[in-house]
Amino acid sequence: MARLVESLSNFFGRVEILARGLENERRAAELALQRDRPLEARDLARTILASVPGSPLGLALWADAAEDAGLDHEAAEALAELATLVPWRADVWLRLGQARARMGDMRAAEALERAADAPEEREAARLALLDLCDRDLWAGDPARAGRWLDRIGTPLAVIMASGTELPAAPGGAGGAARLVRAEPSSVDREVALRRAECALALGDVAAAARYAPVLDPERIDGRGALVLARLAFAEGQWSSALDLGLRACILDAPGSAELLTALIASCRDVVLVDRARRVVTAAGLLEEPAWAAAFAFAEGRRADARAALSRGLSAGHAGAAAALLRLATETRDLDALHALAARDPGRLPEDLRTLREGAVLAAEGRHRAALAKLERVSGEAAAWAAEIASGVITSWVPGEGIAAWPDLLDELGRSARALERLDLVTSVEAIAVERERPLRVAVVGEFNAGKSTFLNALLGEDVAPTGVLPTTATLHWVAWAPDPFARIVVRGAPDRVVPHAGLKSALKSLAADGARVERVFIYAPIERLKRVEILDTPGFNAPDPDHIAAARQAFDEAHVAVWLLDASGPMKESERRVLSEIEGLGVPVQILVNKADRLSPAELAHVLVHVQKSLEETGIGSYAPPLAFSARLSLKGKLGDAAALEASGWAGVEALFAERIVDRSAQLRERALRRRALRIARELATVAAARAAEDRTKIEETRATHEALRAAAAKLRHDRRTIAASIENALEPARRALVADLRPLGDLTDERKRTDPGLEAYVEERFVARLTDPLVQEIARHAGVAAPPAAGASVRAALMGAVAALPAPAERVDRPLGRVLEAAIVAFAAALVAAAEVGLPAAPFALLSQRAAMIESALAAKA
Ligand SMILES: Nc1nc2c(ncn2[C@@H]2O[C@H](COP(=O)(O)OP(=O)(O)OP(=O)(O)O)[C@@H](O)[C@H]2O)c(=O)[nH]1
Ligand SMILES: [Mg+2]
């Protein structure tokens, strides 16, 4: 830019200088400036100013000299004084703004704004606008930055490139066509560059791309190269992004190193990475942490990348924190997050800070506190938080051993309560109780298989009734008690308590009386019953459907089942069917072949082979290999017949019971508990997913409504003039009513009309009262939406404001209301926007559904 002294000296203040005999000093000072001796010029300028204080020429010389000498404070002082003398000069304000900007003076923007507003020197005003734009861009306010550019105007070449319709050029269509063919000017390029930067900063790649053609790659500087590199990166054009990025970097464009390291770190093209490495190596930058990390990362050496960045962070390298943060989030690298938190905690966004705290708690084993933290993480980090939460929950269900039941049940209970499923809350509580109870073995099979005889053998006592016809009608529950007795639960009558010996006759007489026995408890002081309880069940093929229902119920109650086959006809079709069905429930089933005494040893061996084969065919597994025995002989033996006991095969059954069931009761119980918990989790997950879907629909609907409101508001604003014109007619009845309201005022003198405050208030009140409602209705009709609740108040306020500014009362009604109506339309639009700002409905079930699914999959994997 030209020196100030040159542009001012022609017409300003020469006379005083001549008059004071300072012309020689002036000339010497200009010469010194030309010869690049600014300090000499500065001394001369101050000599002049000492004689002619406030001389514009002296100040201009001083400012030029101070600028050349790099004395920004002095330059600013001189320019500030000069600006007060020639406030219309854009160039003075511009230089003041720039000097202040170099000093970091907050008042730089103020001076630049004056330059942008000053009438002289369009060029200086334009430069000031560009500077103002840059300031906002650096401050991270791209929206405001773009507003400065609006004042420079849209470059024609950009309009051409974007295909936007051309504004009518002065001089008609021919003029426009001529202008379109013009080469983009340097102003066009400066503006386009910043437009692209604004768009990129706002995340609008498509808009940025529209300005790219104006940024001729042959002519761009580092900043332009960086913009094009960013654009190429955003569009996935790695190769050109890299070339442009390297060029920007070599030209020292601020931000280029950050872009390049990000680019390299995410680039999976070995050739490109190698090309970048050669350039970076040549520049001697390879050892710098950000670069070292980027290359390490590109090669999958994540730990090295992290280490390099941590080093950079400690050494205070700019960009290391940002790169570490990117590494942490993109690869879900907790260690990177920890490194960042240790050195630069301020860089962690709120969500990542919470996530890290949750992860730390999880690592410390404080699982529930961890989950509570993790569920607060929203936004982009939410998926990562969910992953950590899922890890915590998975750890609750180990492959071997006992699950973390208190945690699991707490979580399931919370979900069940949140979903208001009290039945499931009860089921969860039942699991907690279940954990403390003995193992339950159900003895199952078809009727007449010998189940009750087997139970009696186990008890060593002939307690339960047996017989060839379907005998056992309800569940018989055998449990420990210090004294032997039986309790018969009868529907609609008090329980009957009888000694063991009296059970058969008591059941017989109850049956004869037609009483409904619901359940029978047989208590015995047998030590083993403290750990394992036995359920005797009705036959699965009994003709009475109640019997079958009771038999099925046993599978809900039992941890393990023993299926008795009759050796004389084992694995009938009906048996296979039920066994397959049971297999699906997941309850382990032990197959025993009873009534072995009915067969010869050869026949028995044959039967066992048949059973084994049949099991394999149907895909049914026996918990331990099937065993043959005789329940009848076992009972006989237990009652004192040693030979019968010997022949019964009871010893094998006894050993199986002790080793495979009693000793493994913890594992068997665990399996059963997991199955039950899985059922609950599945149901919760289904219910929660359905509720979450409802939430989503609600949110989508609200979002669509908001969108429609915003669109309607934008349309109202845009078309406000034409809408106002058409409303004008529709308001005719209201206006007539208003005219009638104001008629009594007709005879009053103008003086009175002007000065009577009561009169003013009356007119305003009537104006607003008559117009508000019809206006709201009309605007809503034009907008095509229902008037939001706040619209009435907004329009009323706008009318109040507008009517106060109108001339004499009568004229408020006589003249077209155009402006007033426009104000009301804008107020209505604002009410629409406000209605669209109301927050979206909460989505509490999304998280719940996610959690339930995590528990479900953890349990399903190990059930
Ligand atoms: N030969 C022989 N008969 C047996 C054996 N075990 C049971 N029985 C007889 O088979 C018949 C049925 O026995 P239960 O114990 O009542 O059979 P269950 O499976 O309880 O029958 P329901 O209660 O009707 O389902 C009875 O007559 C028993 O005496 C055995 O090992 N050998
Ligand atoms: Mg029975």
Side-chain angles (χ1 to χ4, degrees):
M1 201 185 289
R3 289 191 185 285
L4 279 175
V5 68
E6 285 163 14
S7 61
L8 285 173
S9 68
N10 294 335
F11 57 96
F12 229 144
R14 281 284 285 279
V15 182
E16 291 117 303
I17 288 177
L18 280 168
R20 297 282 171 101
L22 291 165
E23 183 60 9
N24 281 345
E25 278 78 358
R26 185 193 66 80
R27 235 184 258 146
E30 284 197 32
L31 207 64
L33 277 177
Q34 278 163 25
R35 297 205 174 143
D36 216 8
R37 295 207 294 265
L39 288 176
E40 196 182 313
R42 168 177 171 260
D43 289 343
L44 290 161
R46 299 187 75 149
T47 310
I48 296 172
L49 284 170
S51 294
V52 194
S55 151
L57 218 48
L59 288 168
L61 271 172
W62 185 24
D64 282 340
E67 267 183 13
D68 283 6
L71 300 168
D72 289 328
H73 279 87
E74 280 191 22
E77 193 185 330
L79 289 162
E81 199 177 336
L82 188 56
T84 59
L85 298 173
V86 289
W88 60 89
R89 294 288 303 228
D91 54 348
V92 175
W93 287 113
L94 172 66
R95 286 161 94 140
L96 175 58
Q98 288 174 335
R100 282 179 177 168
R102 286 194 297 274
M103 289 152 54
D105 187 325
M106 296 293 287
R107 293 167 305 164
E110 190 187 304
L112 290 170
E113 285 178 36
R114 291 292 299 264
D117 290 338
E120 290 211 356
E121 288 257 358
R122 279 309 304 152
E123 175 62 12
R126 206 150 42 206
L127 289 172
L129 287 167
L130 293 177
D131 275 2
L132 284 164
C133 169
D134 286 349
R135 290 175 68 81
D136 279 338
L137 269 173
W138 288 322
D141 188 350
R144 185 164 184 256
R147 296 283 161 231
W148 299 116
L149 300 178
D150 291 347
R151 284 173 53 182
I152 302 180
T154 313
L156 288 169
V158 176
I159 296 171
M160 227 168 38
S162 65
T164 318
E165 216 171 287
L166 275 176
R178 187 164 39 80
L179 283 168
V180 170
R181 276 195 300 276
E183 268 283 290
S185 69
S186 66
V187 178
D188 288 346
R189 276 196 289 273
E190 292 290 340
V191 172
L193 169 70
R194 286 165 179 78
R195 287 261 184 232
E197 285 177 335
C198 291
L200 283 172
L202 290 166
D204 188 347
V205 178
R210 282 209 296 276
Y211 299 99
V214 187
L215 307 176
D216 178 0
E218 300 302 315
R219 308 230 294 256
I220 42 167
D221 58 0
R223 185 171 171 183
L226 184 60
V227 165
L228 291 180
R230 283 218 175 96
L231 207 48
F233 187 23
E235 288 169 345
Q237 296 163 12
W238 298 93
S239 177
S240 57
L242 189 69
D243 287 340
L244 288 158
L246 287 170
R247 180 159 158 197
C249 196
I250 291 163
L251 293 171
D252 265 343
S256 56
E258 282 79 357
L259 176 75
L260 269 182
T261 49
L263 206 154
I264 292 165
S266 51
C267 186
R268 294 287 164 270
D269 182 331
V270 185
V271 179
L272 283 186
V273 172
D274 199 51
R275 192 158 89 220
R277 193 202 314 277
R278 280 204 299 278
V279 177
V280 172
T281 309
L285 292 170
L286 198 59
E287 289 312 306
E288 282 206 1
W291 294 101
F295 286 110
F297 202 73
E299 288 155 10
R301 294 180 284 117
R302 226 205 281 180
D304 289 351
R306 196 166 54 228
L309 289 175
S310 301
R311 239 188 308 120
L313 202 58
S314 334
H317 277 277
L324 204 52
L325 189 61
R326 210 169 41 235
L327 183 145
T329 47
E330 276 172 17
T331 64
R332 300 191 178 168
D333 184 337
L334 270 177
D335 289 333
L337 217 51
H338 294 325
L340 196 59
R343 291 191 172 82
D344 196 356
R347 290 298 292 248
L348 279 188
E350 177 73 23
D351 275 332
L352 284 176
R353 199 172 316 152
T354 311
L355 178 141
R356 197 185 83 85
E357 286 163 7
V360 169
L361 287 170
E364 286 169 355
R366 294 164 62 193
H367 287 170
R368 277 189 240 171
L371 291 180
K373 274 259 182 244
L374 291 168
E375 73 187 25
R376 290 196 350 235
V377 178
S378 58
E380 282 175 32
W384 188 3
E387 188 184 285
I388 300 172
S390 171
V392 167
I393 286 173
T394 309
S395 79
W396 289 350
V397 190
E400 295 283 320
I402 305 296
W405 285 106
D407 289 329
L408 263 179
L409 296 180
D410 177 69
E411 193 64 33
L412 286 173
R414 258 170 14 111
S415 295
R417 275 188 294 277
L419 291 165
E420 293 166 343
R421 284 293 302 266
L422 293 184
D423 56 330
L424 294 178
V425 174
T426 313
S427 306
V428 173
E429 281 161 4
I431 293 185
V433 174
E434 188 73 15
R435 296 188 58 224
E436 311 300 327
R437 308 252 343 241
L439 193 75
R440 277 188 304 282
V441 181
V443 182
V444 287
E446 301 206 318
F447 77 83
N448 196 33
K451 301 182 293 293
S452 301
T453 310
F454 175 56
L455 181 84
N456 289 339
L458 279 167
L459 285 168
E461 213 181 331
D462 193 7
V463 184
T466 58
V468 288
L469 295 175
T471 308
T472 310
T474 58
L475 284 187
H476 285 27
W477 193 302
V478 183
W480 183 88
D483 296 306
F485 67 97
R487 186 153 60 88
I488 306 168
V489 181
V490 185
R491 184 183 295 173
D495 292 359
R496 292 273 302 275
V497 175
V498 295
H500 282 183
L503 180 62
K504 286 182 189 172
S505 58
L507 286 173
K508 198 177 274 176
S509 75
L510 281 166
D513 293 349
R516 297 278 295 174
V517 174
E518 291 194 324
R519 193 165 277 205
V520 176
F521 290 92
I522 300 169
Y523 295 100
I526 299 173
E527 209 46 34
R528 187 198 285 153
L529 290 177
K530 283 185 179 167
R531 295 179 64 191
V532 180
E533 294 176 357
I534 319 281
L535 297 179
D536 185 15
T537 65
F540 254 96
N541 59 339
D544 187 339
D546 284 352
H547 288 202
I548 298 174
R552 283 192 189 285
Q553 203 188 352
F555 282 96
D556 284 337
E557 309 264 10
H559 299 114
V560 59
V562 172
W563 185 279
L564 285 201
L565 295 169
D566 186 332
S568 40
M571 293 301 281
K572 297 194 292 281
E573 177 51 33
S574 55
E575 285 178 308
R576 292 179 187 212
R577 214 175 35 244
V578 179
L579 278 168
S580 299
E581 195 186 311
I582 294 166
E583 180 84 9
L585 297 176
V587 183
V589 178
Q590 173 62 49
I591 305 285
L592 292 182
V593 180
N594 187 28
K595 305 194 186 176
D597 57 301
R598 287 180 150 193
L599 304 182
S600 67
E603 284 169 328
L604 191 60
H606 185 73
V607 159
L608 278 173
V609 170
H610 164 72
V611 167
Q612 192 62 52
K613 235 170 77 194
S614 178
L615 286 174
E616 280 162 18
E617 275 166 21
T618 38
I620 301 160
S622 177
Y623 175 59
L627 270 187
F629 79 115
S630 163
R632 181 183 276 176
L633 292 182
S634 301
L635 177 60
K636 231 170 153 187
K638 286 285 198 93
L639 294 173
D641 185 336
L645 193 62
E646 179 67 28
S648 69
W650 181 253
V653 175
E654 184 75 57
L656 180 108
F657 239 75
E659 288 162 23
R660 299 301 300 265
I661 295 179
V662 179
D663 288 354
R664 296 204 192 171
S665 56
Q667 289 103 301
L668 285 166
R669 183 188 297 109
E670 177 74 11
R671 275 174 70 174
L673 290 176
R674 288 188 187 189
R675 278 195 305 275
R676 282 173 79 157
L678 175 59
R679 276 206 299 276
I680 296 172
R682 253 190 204 135
E683 188 147 1
L684 285 174
T686 310
V687 178
R691 302 282 290 270
E694 284 169 21
D695 280 354
R696 272 199 301 280
T697 314
K698 243 181 262 159
I699 288 174
E700 281 317 313
E701 282 167 5
T702 314
R703 198 172 272 148
T705 313
H706 286 181
E707 211 45 62
L709 289 177
R710 272 195 212 97
K715 193 159 158 35
L716 278 182
R717 278 214 182 84
H718 185 262
D719 300 341
R720 60 180 182 271
R721 198 150 298 164
T722 47
I723 295 174
S726 73
I727 287 181
E728 196 80 59
N729 296 331
L731 284 186
E732 218 23 64
R735 191 203 287 265
R736 269 202 295 279
L738 192 53
V739 170
D741 286 343
L742 301 191
R743 206 161 286 142
L745 312 183
D747 296 339
L748 298 178
T749 62
D750 283 352
E751 173 64 17
R752 171 86 191 279
K753 281 186 201 166
R754 255 187 301 110
T755 51
D756 184 341
L759 194 63
E760 186 81 354
Y762 171 77
V763 176
E764 272 179 26
E765 180 259 309
R766 283 304 161 106
F767 194 95
V768 171
R770 290 290 181 194
L771 293 185
T772 304
D773 285 348
L775 201 45
V776 167
Q777 276 170 26
E778 276 302 305
I779 301 174
R781 197 171 62 76
H782 279 277
V785 294
S794 297
V795 167
R796 183 185 305 274
L799 283 177
M800 296 272 258
V803 74
L806 287 176
E811 287 166 353
R812 292 177 197 180
V813 192
D814 298 343
R815 291 193 184 167
L817 290 167
R819 287 278 167 188
V820 176
L821 299 186
E822 280 181 44
I825 291 167
V826 170
F828 189 102
L832 288 181
V833 172
E837 293 297 312
V838 175
L840 294 171
F845 292 112
L847 196 78
L848 219 60
S849 149
Q850 194 185 49
R851 277 289 160 78
M854 283 176 193
I855 299 182
E856 187 194 339
S857 79
L859 284 165
K862 322 244 179 62

